[in-house]
Amino acid sequence: MRLICNILTRWEIRIICRNYSTDTEKLPLRTLKRKTELIKVKPVIDVKTIRAIGGKGGDGCISFLRLWKNDRAGPDGGDGGNGGHILIEASTSINSLNHLNSIMKGENGEKGSNKDCNGKNAQHTIVKVPIGTVVKYDSTVVGDLSEEGSLFILARGGAGGRGNKFFASDLKQTPVVAEYGANGEDRRYTLELKSVANFGLVGLPNAGKSTLLQAISRAKPKVASYPFTTLKPHIGMVQYRDYEQISVADLPGLIEGSHLGKGLGIQFLRHTERCSCLIIVLDVTKNPYETFLILKKELSAFYNDLTKKKQLIVLNKIDLPYSEESIENLINEVGADNLIKLSAKYGLNLSEFLNKLRTNYEENFTND
């Protein structure tokens, strides 16, 4: 057997083991690929203020046709082309607003020319955004891109100007006048992500949320021992052997009084509203029962529907000494079905946690 393993490559052994496994299709796939140290991963931008400027229309042309038989053949100035619109399109291939520029300008239409040649219309600028993007104009929701391929026009391009041929009439057969192309719309919008990820990690500072995200995905949030290390959400993708992917967001830390503006305040609580399910991460060494009550109070004080979201309770840092009494009180409060003990630092019970994550995902996010 040792000789056979030496001959076969690692990839062939993985294929053989996968073919002969009975119920391993939904197991989490722990990648062996080393995480890069060269690329600095940027946090997810879930709110973006942009300025959209539609393309300018092309100017009309002033021209008179001169033929070899008739040097006064009349006006032949063409119309200018229309400016391009700026649109956003919902797409599953995008998961953040990081790629959007603060100022987006549409293409200008082409000017008209002689011999009745109209200018070319500009191409529309289509920018892809994640599904669930909400468009606000003056704090009013004007668009909700909740389906794949849905479009919203941010700014319309200006109409092209008409050439002097358009103004020719029986009374004025040689008009020396044409129109300028109209300017495109200039508007400011605020784009917000209604849903950042399937699951969001919620907890007090230094509860181990970033360490847990690093352990289950290839995301690289900053990990440090001081509070509020995470200032903006980071998203990691959990991969399974049947090619299913689940998105998990590492959210900034929450403290008591956040709904009143303490700590990151409303800025944090806004992130929790955009996650479909909450993973409550509790430090098992710091009275998890009281911590859970604080988190529950802050979520309900900000928005009562947050407490109605599906929740999973994670007791982190079980490698350190802790008290069983506070855990028993927590079990009496939430039950043992949605509670799991693990150590994100040393990888204890991570497979059990990922299996429960997949089960919850299939119950709440699939339509089977």
Side-chain angles (χ1 to χ4, degrees):
M1 184 63 183
R2 181 179 299 176
L3 179 61
I4 296 176
C5 291
N6 290 335
I7 295 175
L8 296 176
T9 63
R10 179 185 296 181
W11 178 253
E12 292 170 340
I13 293 175
R14 181 181 295 180
I15 294 177
I16 293 174
C17 294
R18 184 176 180 181
N19 291 337
Y20 282 94
S21 60
T22 57
D23 192 21
T24 61
E25 289 79 4
K26 297 181 180 180
L27 291 179
L29 181 62
R30 301 299 301 276
T31 178
L32 299 178
K33 186 177 179 181
R34 183 174 177 269
K35 296 183 180 181
T36 180
E37 301 290 343
L38 300 178
I39 302 177
K40 184 178 181 181
V41 181
K42 296 182 179 180
V44 176
I45 297 177
D46 59 344
V47 178
K48 185 81 172 184
T49 300
I50 62 172
R51 179 185 177 188
I53 305 175
K56 182 181 179 300
D59 299 334
C61 177
I62 299 177
S63 175
F64 295 94
L65 183 63
R66 288 176 173 79
L67 302 176
W68 65 278
K69 284 186 177 181
N70 184 6
D71 59 348
R72 297 181 181 179
D76 66 338
D79 301 337
N82 297 325
H85 302 339
I86 299 179
L87 305 93
I88 53 176
E89 179 184 3
S91 174
T92 55
S93 61
I94 306 296
N95 58 8
S96 70
L97 303 176
N98 296 40
H99 64 289
L100 296 182
N101 297 323
S102 299
I103 300 177
M104 295 188 292
K105 294 184 178 180
E107 298 182 6
N108 297 332
E110 195 176 71
K111 296 181 179 180
S113 58
N114 58 351
K115 297 183 179 179
D116 298 332
C117 292
N118 295 332
K120 181 181 178 181
N121 293 331
Q123 294 290 332
H124 299 316
T125 302
I126 301 178
V127 181
K128 293 186 177 182
V129 295
I131 295 178
T133 300
V134 177
V135 185
K136 292 185 178 180
Y137 180 75
D138 288 340
S139 301
T140 302
V141 177
V142 295
D144 188 353
L145 306 182
S146 58
E147 298 181 359
E148 171 76 18
S150 53
L151 296 170
F152 182 83
I153 301 177
L154 297 177
R156 298 179 182 274
R162 289 171 290 195
N164 64 336
K165 183 181 179 181
F166 176 83
F167 299 97
S169 63
D170 294 338
L171 299 178
K172 193 172 185 178
Q173 299 182 359
T174 58
V176 192
V177 60
E179 290 181 339
Y180 288 112
N183 294 323
E185 294 179 338
D186 187 348
R187 294 188 175 183
R188 296 180 182 272
Y189 295 94
T190 299
L191 304 183
E192 296 184 2
L193 287 184
K194 185 169 60 177
S195 177
V196 175
N198 302 127
F199 295 86
L201 300 175
V202 179
L204 297 183
N206 292 338
K209 302 182 296 297
S210 300
T211 305
L212 179 59
L213 185 65
Q214 281 191 346
I216 63 177
S217 70
R218 288 179 53 80
K220 292 184 59 180
K222 185 177 180 180
V223 177
S225 59
Y226 53 85
F228 299 112
T229 307
T230 302
L231 299 178
K232 294 183 179 180
H234 291 261
I235 292 182
M237 302 301 297
V238 181
Q239 300 180 358
Y240 290 82
R241 290 186 178 179
D242 60 346
Y243 304 106
E244 187 67 67
Q245 293 186 348
I246 298 177
S247 57
V248 180
D250 175 24
L251 303 179
L254 173 68
I255 63 174
E256 188 173 5
S258 291
H259 70 282
L260 300 176
K262 295 182 180 180
L264 296 180
I266 304 301
Q267 181 180 357
F268 159 79
L269 292 167
R270 176 170 47 82
H271 298 316
T272 61
E273 193 177 3
R274 299 189 186 120
C275 293
S276 303
C277 179
L278 301 180
I279 302 177
I280 309 297
V281 182
L282 305 175
D283 188 345
V284 73
T285 64
K286 297 181 180 180
N287 201 335
Y289 177 66
E290 293 184 2
T291 302
F292 176 76
L293 295 180
I294 293 174
L295 296 175
K296 184 177 179 180
K297 176 183 177 182
E298 292 301 321
L299 293 175
S300 61
F302 173 71
Y303 186 51
N304 192 34
D305 287 346
L306 288 178
T307 57
K308 300 179 182 179
K309 289 180 179 288
K310 184 69 176 179
Q311 296 180 358
L312 294 177
I313 311 298
V314 172
L315 294 177
N316 192 20
K317 304 181 182 181
I318 62 172
D319 55 292
L320 300 176
Y322 58 90
S323 173
E324 290 288 348
E325 182 179 356
S326 60
I327 296 179
E328 292 178 0
N329 295 335
L330 182 62
I331 293 177
N332 295 332
E333 176 75 15
V334 301
D337 294 336
N338 294 330
L339 189 144
I340 183 172
K341 302 177 184 179
L342 57 83
S343 174
K345 183 177 181 180
Y346 295 101
L348 301 178
N349 292 343
L350 278 185
S351 296
E352 182 182 352
F353 167 69
L354 292 176
N355 290 334
K356 184 169 290 188
L357 201 69
R358 177 63 185 272
T359 302
N360 186 276
Y361 174 79
E362 292 179 345
E363 293 176 353
N364 295 276
F365 300 100
T366 59
N367 298 322
D368 297 341

PDB file of all heavy atoms in Angstrom, residues 310-324:
ATOM      1  N   LYS A 310     -32.454  34.188  12.031  1.00  0.00           N
ATOM      2  CA  LYS A 310     -31.902  32.905  12.452  1.00  0.00           C
ATOM      3  C   LYS A 310     -30.528  33.129  13.069  1.00  0.00           C
ATOM      4  O   LYS A 310     -29.714  33.889  12.549  1.00  0.00           O
ATOM      5  CB  LYS A 310     -31.792  31.974  11.238  1.00  0.00           C
ATOM      6  CG  LYS A 310     -31.321  30.574  11.577  1.00  0.00           C
ATOM      7  CD  LYS A 310     -32.356  29.801  12.367  1.00  0.00           C
ATOM      8  CE  LYS A 310     -31.891  28.380  12.610  1.00  0.00           C
ATOM      9  NZ  LYS A 310     -32.876  27.598  13.392  1.00  0.00           N
ATOM     10  N   GLN A 311     -30.262  32.459  14.193  1.00  0.00           N
ATOM     11  CA  GLN A 311     -29.014  32.671  14.915  1.00  0.00           C
ATOM     12  C   GLN A 311     -28.342  31.347  15.234  1.00  0.00           C
ATOM     13  O   GLN A 311     -29.009  30.356  15.544  1.00  0.00           O
ATOM     14  CB  GLN A 311     -29.266  33.447  16.218  1.00  0.00           C
ATOM     15  CG  GLN A 311     -29.786  34.847  16.028  1.00  0.00           C
ATOM     16  CD  GLN A 311     -30.015  35.564  17.348  1.00  0.00           C
ATOM     17  OE1 GLN A 311     -29.812  34.999  18.415  1.00  0.00           O
ATOM     18  NE2 GLN A 311     -30.441  36.820  17.283  1.00  0.00           N
ATOM     19  N   LEU A 312     -27.017  31.361  15.166  1.00  0.00           N
ATOM     20  CA  LEU A 312     -26.184  30.253  15.621  1.00  0.00           C
ATOM     21  C   LEU A 312     -25.266  30.793  16.720  1.00  0.00           C
ATOM     22  O   LEU A 312     -24.695  31.873  16.573  1.00  0.00           O
ATOM     23  CB  LEU A 312     -25.349  29.671  14.474  1.00  0.00           C
ATOM     24  CG  LEU A 312     -26.111  28.975  13.344  1.00  0.00           C
ATOM     25  CD1 LEU A 312     -25.137  28.530  12.257  1.00  0.00           C
ATOM     26  CD2 LEU A 312     -26.890  27.785  13.853  1.00  0.00           C
ATOM     27  N   ILE A 313     -25.135  30.048  17.801  1.00  0.00           N
ATOM     28  CA  ILE A 313     -24.317  30.483  18.928  1.00  0.00           C
ATOM     29  C   ILE A 313     -23.002  29.705  18.908  1.00  0.00           C
ATOM     30  O   ILE A 313     -23.006  28.466  18.873  1.00  0.00           O
ATOM     31  CB  ILE A 313     -25.035  30.258  20.273  1.00  0.00           C
ATOM     32  CG1 ILE A 313     -26.461  30.813  20.205  1.00  0.00           C
ATOM     33  CG2 ILE A 313     -24.267  30.908  21.399  1.00  0.00           C
ATOM     34  CD1 ILE A 313     -26.540  32.283  19.969  1.00  0.00           C
ATOM     35  N   VAL A 314     -21.891  30.422  18.904  1.00  0.00           N
ATOM     36  CA  VAL A 314     -20.561  29.813  18.893  1.00  0.00           C
ATOM     37  C   VAL A 314     -19.836  30.213  20.165  1.00  0.00           C
ATOM     38  O   VAL A 314     -19.684  31.403  20.455  1.00  0.00           O
ATOM     39  CB  VAL A 314     -19.758  30.266  17.653  1.00  0.00           C
ATOM     40  CG1 VAL A 314     -18.319  29.777  17.751  1.00  0.00           C
ATOM     41  CG2 VAL A 314     -20.394  29.733  16.387  1.00  0.00           C
ATOM     42  N   LEU A 315     -19.405  29.211  20.922  1.00  0.00           N
ATOM     43  CA  LEU A 315     -18.584  29.437  22.111  1.00  0.00           C
ATOM     44  C   LEU A 315     -17.131  29.210  21.726  1.00  0.00           C
ATOM     45  O   LEU A 315     -16.692  28.073  21.527  1.00  0.00           O
ATOM     46  CB  LEU A 315     -19.006  28.493  23.249  1.00  0.00           C
ATOM     47  CG  LEU A 315     -20.414  28.721  23.806  1.00  0.00           C
ATOM     48  CD1 LEU A 315     -20.733  27.675  24.860  1.00  0.00           C
ATOM     49  CD2 LEU A 315     -20.551  30.118  24.387  1.00  0.00           C
ATOM     50  N   ASN A 316     -16.396  30.291  21.605  1.00  0.00           N
ATOM     51  CA  ASN A 316     -15.022  30.233  21.124  1.00  0.00           C
ATOM     52  C   ASN A 316     -14.034  30.167  22.299  1.00  0.00           C
ATOM     53  O   ASN A 316     -14.387  30.469  23.437  1.00  0.00           O
ATOM     54  CB  ASN A 316     -14.738  31.456  20.257  1.00  0.00           C
ATOM     55  CG  ASN A 316     -13.452  31.338  19.477  1.00  0.00           C
ATOM     56  OD1 ASN A 316     -12.935  30.233  19.270  1.00  0.00           O
ATOM     57  ND2 ASN A 316     -12.902  32.463  19.062  1.00  0.00           N
ATOM     58  N   LYS A 317     -12.803  29.765  22.009  1.00  0.00           N
ATOM     59  CA  LYS A 317     -11.680  29.702  22.960  1.00  0.00           C
ATOM     60  C   LYS A 317     -11.885  28.622  24.027  1.00  0.00           C
ATOM     61  O   LYS A 317     -11.624  28.838  25.214  1.00  0.00           O
ATOM     62  CB  LYS A 317     -11.453  31.067  23.623  1.00  0.00           C
ATOM     63  CG  LYS A 317     -11.217  32.216  22.649  1.00  0.00           C
ATOM     64  CD  LYS A 317     -10.973  33.517  23.366  1.00  0.00           C
ATOM     65  CE  LYS A 317     -10.795  34.675  22.381  1.00  0.00           C
ATOM     66  NZ  LYS A 317     -10.542  35.955  23.061  1.00  0.00           N
ATOM     67  N   ILE A 318     -12.363  27.442  23.601  1.00  0.00           N
ATOM     68  CA  ILE A 318     -12.536  26.358  24.579  1.00  0.00           C
ATOM     69  C   ILE A 318     -11.192  25.747  24.982  1.00  0.00           C
ATOM     70  O   ILE A 318     -11.151  24.898  25.879  1.00  0.00           O
ATOM     71  CB  ILE A 318     -13.454  25.263  24.015  1.00  0.00           C
ATOM     72  CG1 ILE A 318     -12.838  24.637  22.750  1.00  0.00           C
ATOM     73  CG2 ILE A 318     -14.841  25.809  23.718  1.00  0.00           C
ATOM     74  CD1 ILE A 318     -13.591  23.433  22.250  1.00  0.00           C
ATOM     75  N   ASP A 319     -10.104  26.161  24.329  1.00  0.00           N
ATOM     76  CA  ASP A 319      -8.780  25.690  24.733  1.00  0.00           C
ATOM     77  C   ASP A 319      -8.306  26.366  26.013  1.00  0.00           C
ATOM     78  O   ASP A 319      -7.311  25.938  26.608  1.00  0.00           O
ATOM     79  CB  ASP A 319      -7.772  25.952  23.609  1.00  0.00           C
ATOM     80  CG  ASP A 319      -7.747  27.411  23.175  1.00  0.00           C
ATOM     81  OD1 ASP A 319      -8.754  27.858  22.584  1.00  0.00           O
ATOM     82  OD2 ASP A 319      -6.753  28.097  23.446  1.00  0.00           O
ATOM     83  N   LEU A 320      -9.020  27.413  26.460  1.00  0.00           N
ATOM     84  CA  LEU A 320      -8.666  28.118  27.686  1.00  0.00           C
ATOM     85  C   LEU A 320      -9.603  27.686  28.829  1.00  0.00           C
ATOM     86  O   LEU A 320     -10.715  27.205  28.576  1.00  0.00           O
ATOM     87  CB  LEU A 320      -8.776  29.630  27.480  1.00  0.00           C
ATOM     88  CG  LEU A 320      -7.888  30.230  26.379  1.00  0.00           C
ATOM     89  CD1 LEU A 320      -8.176  31.707  26.215  1.00  0.00           C
ATOM     90  CD2 LEU A 320      -6.416  29.993  26.689  1.00  0.00           C
ATOM     91  N   PRO A 321      -9.192  27.858  30.067  1.00  0.00           N
ATOM     92  CA  PRO A 321     -10.063  27.496  31.195  1.00  0.00           C
ATOM     93  C   PRO A 321     -11.329  28.356  31.214  1.00  0.00           C
ATOM     94  O   PRO A 321     -11.285  29.567  30.973  1.00  0.00           O
ATOM     95  CB  PRO A 321      -9.186  27.776  32.428  1.00  0.00           C
ATOM     96  CG  PRO A 321      -7.792  27.782  31.916  1.00  0.00           C
ATOM     97  CD  PRO A 321      -7.852  28.289  30.515  1.00  0.00           C
ATOM     98  N   TYR A 322     -12.461  27.714  31.505  1.00  0.00           N
ATOM     99  CA  TYR A 322     -13.722  28.443  31.547  1.00  0.00           C
ATOM    100  C   TYR A 322     -14.649  27.781  32.552  1.00  0.00           C
ATOM    101  O   TYR A 322     -14.404  26.672  33.040  1.00  0.00           O
ATOM    102  CB  TYR A 322     -14.388  28.469  30.167  1.00  0.00           C
ATOM    103  CG  TYR A 322     -14.686  27.112  29.575  1.00  0.00           C
ATOM    104  CD1 TYR A 322     -15.894  26.468  29.814  1.00  0.00           C
ATOM    105  CD2 TYR A 322     -13.737  26.466  28.784  1.00  0.00           C
ATOM    106  CE1 TYR A 322     -16.155  25.222  29.274  1.00  0.00           C
ATOM    107  CE2 TYR A 322     -13.991  25.223  28.240  1.00  0.00           C
ATOM    108  CZ  TYR A 322     -15.198  24.606  28.484  1.00  0.00           C
ATOM    109  OH  TYR A 322     -15.457  23.373  27.964  1.00  0.00           O
ATOM    110  N   SER A 323     -15.744  28.474  32.845  1.00  0.00           N
ATOM    111  CA  SER A 323     -16.699  28.016  33.847  1.00  0.00           C
ATOM    112  C   SER A 323     -17.879  27.330  33.162  1.00  0.00           C
ATOM    113  O   SER A 323     -18.422  27.843  32.178  1.00  0.00           O
ATOM    114  CB  SER A 323     -17.197  29.194  34.697  1.00  0.00           C
ATOM    115  OG  SER A 323     -18.224  28.805  35.557  1.00  0.00           O
ATOM    116  N   GLU A 324     -18.273  26.182  33.683  1.00  0.00           N
ATOM    117  CA  GLU A 324     -19.393  25.441  33.121  1.00  0.00           C
ATOM    118  C   GLU A 324     -20.732  26.051  33.539  1.00  0.00           C
ATOM    119  O   GLU A 324     -21.745  25.855  32.866  1.00  0.00           O
ATOM    120  CB  GLU A 324     -19.327  23.985  33.577  1.00  0.00           C
ATOM    121  CG  GLU A 324     -18.196  23.184  32.959  1.00  0.00           C
ATOM    122  CD  GLU A 324     -18.446  22.877  31.494  1.00  0.00           C
ATOM    123  OE1 GLU A 324     -19.592  23.100  31.041  1.00  0.00           O
ATOM    124  OE2 GLU A 324     -17.502  22.445  30.805  1.00  0.00           O
TER     125      GLU A 324
END
